[in-house]
Amino acid sequence: MILKKILPITLAATLSTTVSADPWSEDFTKDFKPEVATYLAKWYKDNYSNYTYIYRYFCFCAESGKSFTVDVRDNEVKKVTYTDTNQEVPESHMSMFDTIDGLFADLVKANKSAHKINVQFNKRFGNPSSVYIDYDPRIADEETAYSIDQIFVMLP
């Protein structure tokens, strides 16, 4: 639960810090979109710690575009399965998946140095629903992109 206490503080510090543009690009993401803080606050206010979401990761890899069902219990990823077969993903692939809290933490981290960030949010729950991060326009295939197609929260 430490992340739930640290992440809002980190976000506040990030939002108040000015990030200077690197000379390589004019469209450098100079600051977070204002709605990031709003949706982060919504996600934390509702205090979801048990939920399942459908995750689709886009990369230059074999798993690109596949749909995964990610089960989170007590704010930890407990199980990940391929949505279409319900077969568990290999342990070697588990590092690809994170909690919604972890995805927000990645957004905050990327804000400090990413070349470009595009993000959309689920208006009901506040989680990121579509994310594209380009860390460096000079490097091919280092971008991060994913979508969360559905989220099912378990209310206490």
Side-chain angles (χ1 to χ4, degrees):
M1 292 303 143
I2 291 175
L3 184 60
K4 286 219 180 244
K5 293 176 182 169
I6 293 173
L7 190 57
I9 294 167
T10 304
L11 179 62
T14 301
L15 289 171
S16 65
T17 304
T18 308
V19 179
S20 61
D22 195 298
W24 73 65
S25 172
E26 292 179 14
D27 66 340
F28 183 86
T29 303
K30 292 182 173 74
D31 54 11
F32 245 174
K33 292 182 173 185
E35 67 267 21
V36 171
T38 302
Y39 286 106
L40 176 64
K42 177 170 184 35
W43 177 256
Y44 280 107
K45 178 181 92 44
D46 294 332
N47 200 25
Y48 301 120
S49 59
N50 296 301
Y51 51 91
T52 298
Y53 66 92
I54 307 300
Y55 181 81
R56 198 177 303 265
Y57 186 70
F58 302 97
C59 59
F60 294 97
C61 61
E63 302 299 328
S64 184
K66 292 182 180 176
S67 183
F68 301 92
T69 302
V70 180
D71 291 320
V72 176
R73 301 295 175 265
D74 296 322
N75 276 331
E76 289 184 29
V77 175
K78 295 294 185 183
K79 181 179 170 187
V80 180
T81 58
Y82 293 96
T83 304
D84 57 348
T85 65
N86 206 32
Q87 185 177 16
E88 286 195 46
V89 300
E91 187 66 33
S92 61
H93 288 71
M94 288 299 286
S95 64
M96 288 176 43
F97 308 97
D98 210 339
T99 63
I100 300 298
D101 297 347
L103 297 177
F104 268 117
D106 290 344
L107 281 172
V108 170
K109 233 183 341 185
N111 187 53
K112 292 218 177 242
S113 60
H115 163 67
K116 189 173 197 170
I117 300 173
N118 291 324
V119 61
Q120 295 176 347
F121 295 92
N122 178 311
K123 294 187 186 326
R124 180 174 179 200
F125 297 110
N127 62 284
S129 59
S130 176
V131 172
Y132 172 81
I133 302 170
D134 185 0
Y135 294 94
D136 188 332
R138 302 170 293 186
I139 301 173
D141 305 341
E142 60 28 281
E143 301 87 3
T144 296
Y146 62 85
S147 66
I148 295 177
D149 300 323
Q150 299 175 44
I151 186 165
F152 308 96
V153 299
M154 290 165 216
L155 301 175

